[in-house]
Amino acid sequence: MIEHVKPEAEDIVKASEYGGREPAIAWQRWLLVTIAVGWSLFQLYASYFGTLNPQKIGSIHLAFGFALAFLAYPRKGGAVDRIPWYDWLLAAASVASALYILFNYYNIVVVQGGLPEPRDIWVGTALLAFLAIAATRLLGLALPIIAALVVIYGITGPAGLIPLTPPDVIYLHNGYDWPQIIQQLYITTEGIWGTPIQVSATFVFLFVLFGALLDKAGAGQYFVDLAYSGLGTFRGGPAKASVVASLLTGVISGSSTANTVTTGTFTIPLMKKIGYPPVKAGATEVAASVNGQLMPPIMGAAAFIMATFIDMPYSQLIIHALVPAVLTYLGLLYVVHLEALKLGLQGLPRADLPPFWPTFVRGVHYLIPVAFLLYELMWANLTPERSALNATVVLTALILVQEVVKGVRSGNLVAGLWQGLRLIVSGLETGARNMTTIAIATGAAGIIVGMVTMTNLGYGLTQVLDVLSGGNIWIVLLLSAITSLILGIGLPTTANYIVMAALVAPVIVNLSGEAGLVVPLVAVHLFVFYFGILADDTPPVGLAAYAASAISRADPIATGVQGFIYDLRTAILPFMFFFNPELLLINVGSWYYAGWVIVTALVGMLGFVAATQGYLKIRMYWYERLLMLVGALLLLKPGSWTDLVGIGLLAAVVFWHRHRAGAPLVPTTG
């Protein structure tokens, strides 16, 4: 069964993460491998020596991204078994437009003083076009359309390329001509070569590469086996193991879709085996995999960009993100527990599961590079880039040692060494292919960031949202969340976060200040980050749901909807830590108070889950669900009165419900 359904899901991952094109011509296949491995080696070289400035690294980074975007990703309906002539042309021209900055950097910056000449304008215009084509091919139409709209906003106005004057349109700028637009977006580091692509070209790439190598070493399968050996016997054990396995796999994969396939290939069939309906089995895996990007220490690519946007060390950011991530996974474990109760499910027999301690010992060496990475980040206080580089070196050594030991045991040392080298090369290739979408997304999103800075668009959006919300911060947050979810229909998580961080986060900050709230900047950015993460299971486009449904043999839309319902518990967390920054371990005062805040948040989370599931011991009446929901929502915002009333309501419902169900008021071990 597993082998039968696995190829369809893997095809979805190949198409979305690796390109999907597999040329039948040998030299074309080897060319793609060479480009990908060359990209990884360049990034390692650039990180180790650190001699190139960010703009030069960004241009080479985008050039590699362009090459793989057009050679490995066919257009819709295009050839997948060969590289057609037009993709060769697009690849060559786009790479040249990206490398133009590298080879003309001295003339542009020193001789011309940063002022574009006609040739610069033509090349810059071409690069914008290539970015639009590549982004459409890899990411869909949403990001190119948003980028085009902000550029149009910049070139219109009283003195712009398209002269519009009030009262036709109200502008916060006079309008810009095309050379000014190209100077901002292509010549300076405020646009395409700005923060998003610089972060992508430095530590994001290295962390993605680290995860790819760790997966090639065998850590993904180890995490799945470990989760099953520990949780498989519990009620609904395969679903609980799926949650934990996806959490652990999130350490090595920043992709919800890849996480879904890595763990779902094994977890979904076993969930179905014990009685989970196909839709709920797939949705459980989707919800768990999507949330993998929230779990430190290796969060999604957007988290690295966030750390740079808010000027915070990544090691500090993961501390702030830890408690909400743990809460959301505890909430999901409760979701699957209630589903198991509703369906009357049990766990798997111990005889069908691997023993825990031998399983743990078998792969404990996979924890060494992860622990080393944490040490470098948290205690040695090295930069994320240097930490990831050093951890990658340790990991490659571990792969070689692991395979050599296997070779010695089998009596063939050379074969073991050769297999180790093959795994490393495969990891270098996979890491680069995983980065293609991120490189294109960050380049295209740089257009939006650059135009927002140039036109003061953020201030205009502040005024619009202020009018729409009437200054009510709750309405502002709801509008922001809905906007992010709508964007998630067409944007991947990284691009979604960048757009929201550029357009909406400043609005929330400004209106929070006007409302008299002192909200840490990290809370605002994590707020939009959390809703951006939900992009991967937002119907009808969420690729993670399509991958899960290919394994579960269920309808992908129904799977996505059910996964989104499970993820509603994640959607309330941003409201919790926005009004309660202590959940981010900010200004906690005493650890006693911090503990109280975390406990009340957890109680509220579990109450919200029970209310949305409509189940405790037995199915809940409508008024029980309503009271449970009110109690949970009261715990969103801290306060002695709201905490006491919220906990009181939840306790009353639980005791009444257990009495109605005929269960003892004090739970027993059974």
Side-chain angles (χ1 to χ4, degrees):
M1 177 69 174
I2 290 176
E3 293 302 320
H4 176 62
V5 300
K6 186 177 180 181
E8 282 186 42
E10 287 188 333
D11 286 344
I12 294 174
V13 175
K14 287 179 180 178
S16 63
E17 305 292 333
Y18 312 136
R21 177 173 280 156
E22 296 183 0
I25 304 171
W27 71 266
Q28 291 187 358
R29 289 199 306 272
W30 279 107
L31 177 65
L32 293 181
V33 172
T34 302
I35 292 172
V37 173
W39 190 4
S40 291
L41 293 176
F42 162 74
Q43 298 288 168
L44 292 169
Y45 165 86
S47 177
Y48 181 78
F49 289 101
T51 55
L52 293 175
N53 69 40
Q55 197 164 357
K56 290 182 178 180
I57 293 178
S59 70
I60 299 173
H61 182 76
L62 186 57
F64 274 112
F66 272 143
L68 288 179
F70 290 118
L71 297 180
Y73 286 76
R75 66 178 178 83
K76 188 175 182 180
V80 296
D81 59 345
R82 59 185 173 82
I83 303 174
W85 66 268
Y86 52 83
D87 279 345
W88 286 113
L89 183 61
L90 284 170
S94 61
V95 167
S97 69
L99 294 180
Y100 179 85
I101 286 288
L102 175 69
F103 293 114
N104 293 277
Y105 183 81
Y106 180 82
N107 283 337
I108 293 173
V109 174
V110 179
V111 178
Q112 300 168 208
L115 299 176
E117 292 184 346
R119 184 177 63 176
D120 306 330
I121 296 171
W122 280 107
V123 176
T125 302
L127 185 132
L128 292 181
F130 293 134
L131 262 179
I133 297 170
T136 300
R137 184 176 291 196
L138 274 65
L139 307 165
L141 286 171
L143 186 57
I145 288 174
I146 296 171
L149 289 175
V150 295
V151 170
I152 291 171
Y153 177 74
I155 61 178
T156 55
L161 182 64
I162 303 175
L164 294 176
T165 57
D168 300 314
V169 183
I170 298 175
Y171 284 91
L172 298 174
H173 62 93
N174 288 325
Y176 300 94
D177 58 27
W178 194 245
Q180 290 175 305
I181 298 291
I182 293 299
Q183 181 182 16
Q184 172 79 357
L185 298 182
Y186 184 63
I187 303 299
T188 73
T189 56
E190 298 295 324
I192 294 167
W193 315 120
T195 296
I197 203 165
Q198 288 180 21
V199 175
S200 174
T202 51
F203 41 85
V204 170
F205 193 104
L206 292 177
F207 275 88
V208 169
L209 179 60
F210 176 82
L213 286 166
L214 194 56
D215 184 48
K216 293 297 179 183
Q221 182 61 58
Y222 168 68
F223 290 149
V224 172
D225 292 344
L226 188 64
Y228 264 98
S229 65
L231 295 170
T233 58
F234 288 87
R235 185 186 295 272
K240 292 173 181 174
S242 170
V243 173
V244 174
S246 295
L247 182 158
L248 295 173
T249 304
V251 172
I252 64 175
S253 173
S255 164
S256 303
T257 309
N259 192 333
T260 298
V261 173
T262 300
T263 57
T265 299
F266 302 94
T267 61
I268 292 174
L270 286 174
M271 279 189 268
K272 291 172 64 178
K273 179 180 178 180
I274 67 166
Y276 272 91
V279 167
K280 291 189 175 183
T284 299
E285 182 57 52
V286 168
S289 297
V290 166
N291 288 165
Q293 295 185 62
L294 303 175
M295 180 57 68
I298 304 177
M299 302 165 69
F304 298 96
I305 297 172
M306 184 198 310
T308 305
F309 272 170
I310 64 179
D311 194 24
M312 173 179 287
Y314 182 72
S315 57
Q316 185 65 35
L317 175 63
I318 61 178
I319 292 175
H320 295 319
L322 179 60
V323 171
V326 172
L327 288 178
T328 194
Y329 268 102
L330 290 175
L332 184 55
L333 282 172
Y334 193 45
V335 167
V336 299
H337 177 71
L338 293 179
E339 287 285 12
L341 285 174
K342 282 194 281 187
L343 296 168
L345 305 181
Q346 300 298 322
L348 292 169
R350 170 50 69 184
D352 293 348
L353 297 170
F356 178 77
W357 285 113
T359 301
F360 175 78
V361 172
R362 172 176 59 83
V364 71
H365 58 282
Y366 294 129
L367 303 179
I368 295 174
V370 177
F372 183 77
L373 175 63
L374 281 174
Y375 168 79
E376 298 268 283
L377 273 174
M378 309 300 296
W379 284 274
N381 290 321
L382 298 183
T383 65
E385 184 178 4
R386 179 58 61 172
S387 300
L389 177 65
N390 293 346
T392 300
V393 172
V394 171
L395 178 54
T396 54
L398 182 143
I399 292 173
L400 287 175
V401 171
Q402 170 184 269
E403 297 307 315
V404 165
V405 169
K406 289 181 181 178
V408 170
R409 288 176 177 172
S410 64
N412 195 334
L413 176 99
V414 175
L417 181 61
W418 178 244
Q419 176 63 11
L421 293 173
R422 287 182 58 192
L423 290 176
I424 291 170
V425 171
S426 180
L428 294 174
E429 179 195 0
T430 301
R433 283 178 174 261
N434 288 344
M435 278 299 302
T436 306
T437 301
I438 297 174
I440 299 300
T442 51
I447 298 173
I448 299 169
V449 175
M451 293 309 302
V452 168
T453 303
M454 190 178 194
T455 61
N456 204 19
L457 181 59
Y459 179 72
L461 288 175
T462 299
Q463 292 180 315
V464 171
L465 273 181
D466 194 15
V467 171
L468 290 176
S469 66
N472 187 305
I473 191 62
W474 281 95
I475 297 178
V476 171
L477 294 177
L478 285 172
L479 288 174
S480 302
I482 292 169
T483 301
S484 185
L485 292 175
I486 292 173
L487 285 176
I489 294 175
L491 289 180
T493 54
T494 303
N496 193 334
Y497 167 72
I498 295 172
V499 172
M500 293 295 292
L503 295 176
V504 179
V507 175
I508 298 175
V509 171
N510 292 336
L511 295 182
S512 298
E514 292 179 9
L517 293 174
V518 180
V519 182
L521 190 59
V522 65
V524 175
H525 279 258
L526 279 172
F527 183 93
V528 298
F529 174 71
Y530 261 63
F531 283 103
I533 290 299
L534 297 179
D536 280 353
D537 66 359
T538 304
V541 182
L543 287 178
Y546 281 86
S549 64
I551 301 172
S552 66
R553 297 302 194 206
D555 178 73
I557 301 298
T559 300
V561 170
Q562 186 65 58
F564 184 76
I565 291 172
Y566 288 161
D567 266 340
L568 284 175
R569 82 205 184 282
T570 303
I572 70 163
L573 262 174
F575 292 94
M576 285 184 171
F577 60 65
F578 183 89
F579 292 106
N580 193 359
E582 288 89 351
L583 277 178
L584 304 179
L585 303 181
I586 297 175
N587 299 325
V588 292
S590 68
W591 285 104
Y592 170 80
Y593 179 69
W596 171 254
V597 167
I598 293 171
V599 168
T600 54
L602 177 60
V603 170
M605 167 70 73
L606 299 182
F608 182 83
V609 166
T612 54
Q613 289 293 302
Y615 205 90
L616 280 174
K617 276 289 184 180
I618 57 176
R619 192 165 298 279
M620 300 171 70
Y621 290 145
W622 68 267
Y623 61 85
E624 292 174 318
R625 296 181 69 174
L626 179 61
L627 290 175
M628 184 75 76
L629 184 61
V630 171
L633 294 178
L634 283 172
L635 294 172
L636 281 180
K637 190 173 181 180
S640 300
W641 183 83
T642 54
D643 284 350
L644 290 176
V645 174
I647 291 175
L649 275 176
L650 294 178
V653 172
V654 168
F655 277 104
W656 162 251
H657 185 85
R658 293 184 68 86
H659 169 71
R660 189 169 65 83
L665 295 184
V666 178
T668 64
T669 55

